[in-house]
Amino acid sequence: MTLVLVAVVLMLAGRVALAQERVAVLLSERGGHYSEFLDAFYRALADPVLAGRPLTIVELTTVPERAGDPRLAGVSALVAVGVQAMRSAAARDDLPPTLNVLVPRASYERTVAESGRHRARAQFSAIYLDQPLSRQLGLIRLVLPGKRRVAVLLGPDSSFFLPRLRAAVARTGLELVSDEVSAEFELIPALSQLLGGADLLLALPDSVVFTRESARSILLTAYRYQKPMFGFSQAYVNAGALAAVFSTPAQIARQTVEMLRAQPNARQTLPLALYPTHFSVSVNRAVARALAIDPPADGALHAALASETDSD
């Protein structure tokens, strides 16, 4: 009888642990930043510095067609990696609480608004890919003290940010010079007009304005006007932007593990969507020299930005 009782207790404990510890991960696709995130996610789980309740990972290639799918048995949270995975998860209101990662804020807000199902924010949250505007504008102030007029070219995705951008710029004492375009052929004429009355160009993620095809033309136009550009990724800095503040997939993976382990019951609630806490700063020193700019070291810039409180 004692052995039977012990076996039952162990079985029930195992079921409870299973319900508390299983997390499903859905990638938009294999490769690139998505696989980089997943690899870093596993490394963060094994990092003793991030010790906490153990998490068992279930990798998904598609969203299960029904909530009772065996792959979701005991799963307390779903991590959707990338915009495609987020949209697939948003189409269902019977999935575990979903944390969306590697998604721009504009895409997340649009998906929430267009899903039609209106999953509660505590059940459908995000760690944004992009940085808070206060952090981006803080980098501008640190790298270009004395420069005030910030040019921003907005498209269908990023026009969503305009009211928030105006407020953030006003708080910093800078001035905003902006224009909106709806098609790629409008980019260079609009950009040329903007740069004529600005000190610098701030890039915001947008599927029409800043694409692989348009990046070179935009950088060349900014260079022709001798106006530095602040990008939103290491790739833009490598291509010729003066500087950028950004979060890598590995940094967001680390924050994801921290968040999941901090939640006592992810099945009931997730934190509201938030910006990355871990980030990097990069400056293209060759571009800085060409423009006669002498920015502080990357580490000093990072420390200064990390000490500021985000206000977005």
Side-chain angles (χ1 to χ4, degrees), residues 86 98-106 108-109 112 121-122 124-135 161 164 247 251-252 254-260 262-263 269-278 310-312:
M86 173 180 66
T98 301
L99 178 62
N100 302 283
V101 299
L102 298 193
V103 295
R105 178 169 182 169
Y108 170 76
E109 295 286 357
V112 169
R121 294 300 179 101
F124 194 77
S125 189
I127 300 174
Y128 303 132
L129 176 61
D130 39 337
Q131 303 296 305
L133 293 170
S134 57
R135 191 177 292 164
F161 282 109
R164 190 177 297 120
S247 294
Q251 288 169 326
I252 293 179
R254 188 175 187 87
Q255 184 174 348
T256 302
V257 171
E258 292 169 345
M259 180 182 293
L260 291 173
Q263 290 304 111
T269 182
L270 287 171
L272 294 178
L274 74 168
Y275 285 104
T277 55
H278 306 299
D310 298 331
S311 56
D312 294 17

Side-chain angles (χ1 to χ4, degrees), residues 120-151:
R121 294 300 179 101
Q123 298 283 315
F124 194 77
S125 189
I127 300 174
Y128 303 132
L129 176 61
D130 39 337
Q131 303 296 305
L133 293 170
S134 57
R135 191 177 292 164
Q136 295 172 286
L137 296 172
L139 179 63
I140 290 171
R141 294 198 319 271
L142 291 167
V143 173
L144 297 176
K147 300 296 184 181
R148 301 186 65 245
R149 294 177 63 80
V150 179

